[in-house]
Amino acid sequence: MNFKNLLLALFTVILGISSGFSQSTKALVGGTLIDGFGGVPIRNSVILIENDKITAVGQVGSLAIPAGAEVISTEGMSVLPGLWDMHVHLMINGHSDYDHWDKTYIDLFESVIMPSSAHQLLMAGVTSARDLGAPLEASINVRDKINRGEIPGPTIYVSGPFIQKTAYPGTEAFRWGVNGVADAKSKVKKLADAGVDVIKLIDQDQMTLEEAQAVVDEAHKYGLPVVGHSHRPEEIRVGLKIGVDCFEHTGLSSAPEYPEDIMLALQERSAQMNRGPLFWTPTVEGLYNYESVRDNPEKLDDPSWHLGLPDSIIRDIKASLRYPGRMSYFQLTPVRKPTLERKFSQLKQSGVVMLIGTDSGIPMKFHSQSTWNELDVWVNEFGYDPLLAIKAATYWPAVAMKVDQDYGTISEGKYADIIAVRGDVLRHISLLQDVDLVIKHGNRVK
């Protein structure tokens, strides 16, 4: 190398150091790593990050830390992949009156409401989320602004408007009715052309079988998964016939369990491994915890849900929650609650792959709090293995959305979406209510 080139190389190194180039490598050192695959945690872990990707995973003493790396101590912490929430509603923020909310704030969904919800999710350790129902343009624009780094939030996968037989009056901006096979295909094509990530189908039992089948077939033609409501037994039966990829919820009724024919059909579908897993998002915490919140409403005063919202909207939400026990939305919930554990157990035994999702945004359920509560109910109330619950919030959602080559686990080549909490999260899953460290795409955001 001649003298001129030597000076140029030296100048480049100095410039790189002064601009933080030498710190583009991060090393998370010392914590107990739960990598998302469901295996034995790795003690004294080392995770190396270069820019936005994970480059190496190992242990102290066996994986060298590059000179000049930014070392982030995770001693005394549980380290795990960023959480997924597979059923959120960015367009709502816990207000109890949907009709008032939609009429008053629909023009603010894109500019204020949805960005606020997304930011709250990210601060709660949710680095990926599936938004199931909002106006199409707002959904696409908010997702893309997050992806471009213009606003903070998880990586969002959007459905845009619901597809259903008939839109409820006043909801036509985010619920699209279908009238016939050609219309069903046209509506799905419009969503696909706009760039949605998933199709949301509800009330499929009210459609003709041909209409419902056309929704699924058209979505699959464009490589889009279809999620379907499972509030009524016939919705499940139709959903299985037409090939829905993922069911949502555990049912609106107080029936004590799923009918026997549905359980046999789920087992038969789960046995068809050539079709891949059948996914199910139970969304139980909003129902299970209602009476606790009603009787002990202190958590409604938690300011974490204020993030990104103007004072006027905060006051409106607070006013709507003044009488938690009077909300029509939850009047049947005390009768439904005893059925949840039985239905959850049936789903677990049927062979479906269950996913963490919350219905976050429904009355009294805030984006800053819902996801950890879902994990808590699974583990502490329903006895679900905490390692598998974390897998249902990390690995399996990425598989369901066909992005597991980039997300879902802490492993080489994946995007560096990583969270950490102080203490043993496998013994105390509720530690996730206060996530200490959030890294998204290699950037430390909390």
Side-chain angles (χ1 to χ4, degrees):
M1 181 181 291
N2 62 37
F3 184 71
K4 181 179 178 181
N5 288 340
L6 180 61
L7 284 177
L8 181 60
L10 182 60
F11 176 75
T12 301
V13 170
I14 294 171
L15 182 63
I17 293 172
S18 66
S19 64
F21 177 77
S22 65
Q23 301 257 308
S24 65
T25 299
K26 295 182 177 69
L28 276 58
V29 181
T32 295
L33 172 60
I34 301 160
D35 62 14
F37 287 108
V40 176
I42 300 171
R43 313 294 176 183
N44 297 313
S45 65
V46 175
I47 305 163
L48 300 184
I49 302 167
E50 186 73 32
N51 299 317
D52 59 355
K53 295 286 185 72
I54 298 165
T55 57
V57 178
Q59 289 180 289
V60 174
S62 61
L63 178 58
I65 299 169
E70 176 189 356
V71 176
I72 300 172
S73 174
T74 53
E75 293 286 354
M77 306 178 84
S78 298
V79 182
L80 55 157
L83 302 177
W84 285 65
D85 193 316
M86 290 293 274
H87 195 123
V88 305
H89 292 287
L90 297 182
M91 61 170 267
I92 50 179
N93 293 76
H95 198 286
S96 70
D97 186 340
Y98 286 165
D99 186 57
H100 164 79
W101 183 265
D102 296 341
K103 289 177 179 176
T104 306
Y105 299 117
I106 191 167
D107 291 338
L108 297 178
F109 282 176
E110 181 179 334
S111 60
V112 177
I113 305 298
M114 296 174 74
S116 163
S117 302
H119 197 182
Q120 290 178 27
L121 284 166
L122 184 62
M123 291 300 99
V126 177
T127 57
S128 298
R130 195 167 63 180
D131 183 45
L132 296 180
L136 179 56
E137 186 175 355
S139 296
I140 298 295
N141 289 345
V142 169
R143 179 198 66 187
D144 291 352
K145 285 178 183 177
I146 292 171
N147 288 344
R148 291 193 298 264
E150 296 173 13
I151 58 175
T155 300
I156 300 289
Y157 302 86
V158 301
S159 71
F162 299 62
I163 296 291
Q164 59 190 102
K165 180 58 182 174
T166 306
Y168 310 150
T171 68
E172 292 82 0
F174 47 88
R175 294 176 181 269
W176 290 358
V178 299
N179 184 19
V181 169
D183 190 42
K185 290 183 177 180
S186 174
K187 294 282 172 49
V188 173
K189 183 179 186 304
K190 185 174 181 180
L191 293 173
D193 289 345
V196 301
D197 306 288
V198 59
I199 298 296
K200 181 173 182 179
L201 175 64
I202 75 167
D203 298 344
Q204 58 266 23
D205 56 336
Q206 297 175 15
M207 297 178 175
T208 67
L209 187 61
E210 291 76 17
E211 287 172 333
Q213 188 70 66
V215 171
V216 172
D217 289 348
E218 193 74 3
H220 287 173
K221 185 172 85 173
Y222 291 101
L224 298 174
V226 179
V227 302
H229 266 188
S230 58
H231 282 314
R232 296 179 295 275
E234 196 60 24
E235 275 188 305
I236 303 172
R237 294 186 183 104
V238 171
L240 287 168
K241 285 180 183 176
I242 62 179
V244 161
D245 300 286
C246 183
F247 285 105
E248 307 295 305
H249 312 303
T250 51
L252 284 173
S253 77
S254 54
E257 61 184 10
Y258 294 116
E260 183 178 359
D261 71 294
I262 285 178
M263 296 311 302
L264 291 172
L266 289 177
Q267 292 170 24
E268 183 177 346
R269 166 62 183 85
S270 297
Q272 298 173 35
M273 291 305 297
N274 59 307
R275 297 175 62 185
L278 175 63
F279 296 100
W280 199 300
T281 315
T283 69
V284 293
E285 87 85 8
L287 301 173
Y288 197 90
N289 288 329
Y290 161 69
E291 290 172 291
S292 174
V293 176
R294 179 197 65 192
D295 300 340
N296 304 279
E298 185 64 33
K299 69 182 299 180
L300 300 179
D301 294 332
D302 186 335
S304 63
W305 64 264
H306 300 181
L307 181 65
L309 295 175
D311 290 343
S312 59
I313 296 181
I314 293 170
R315 288 194 298 269
D316 192 1
I317 295 172
K318 283 184 174 181
S320 82
L321 305 182
R322 185 177 178 187
Y323 300 107
R326 299 182 185 179
M327 296 177 190
S328 59
Y329 188 93
F330 288 109
Q331 289 309 303
L332 191 62
T333 296
V335 186
R336 294 170 65 191
K337 179 181 176 180
T339 75
L340 293 175
E341 186 170 2
R342 170 61 182 152
K343 290 175 179 175
F344 186 92
S345 177
Q346 284 183 290
L347 293 175
K348 184 168 65 171
Q349 294 169 11
S350 74
V352 302
V353 174
M354 292 194 290
L355 308 172
I356 290 290
T358 61
D359 226 3
S360 184
I362 65 173
M364 299 196 297
K365 301 301 170 183
F366 306 117
H367 301 287
S368 61
Q369 302 172 4
S370 294
T371 311
W372 81 263
N373 271 296
E374 184 79 8
L375 283 151
D376 179 66
V377 171
W378 282 35
V379 173
N380 290 323
E381 304 297 338
F382 295 167
Y384 206 76
D385 185 306
L387 265 177
L388 298 182
I390 289 169
K391 188 171 183 176
T394 54
Y395 173 83
W396 283 120
V399 173
M401 292 310 298
K402 302 184 174 109
V403 294
D404 49 304
Q405 72 279 7
D406 290 321
Y407 295 97
T409 59
I410 296 178
S411 51
E412 296 81 1
K414 304 280 182 81
Y415 282 109
D417 285 3
I418 299 170
I419 65 172
V421 293
R422 297 197 178 281
D424 184 352
V425 76
L426 297 181
R427 288 192 62 196
H428 307 288
I429 200 76
S430 61
L431 287 171
L432 290 170
Q433 69 185 286
D434 187 15
V435 176
D436 295 280
L437 174 69
V438 180
I439 293 174
K440 184 196 170 191
H441 283 202
N443 294 313
R444 187 174 183 174
V445 296
K446 182 182 180 184

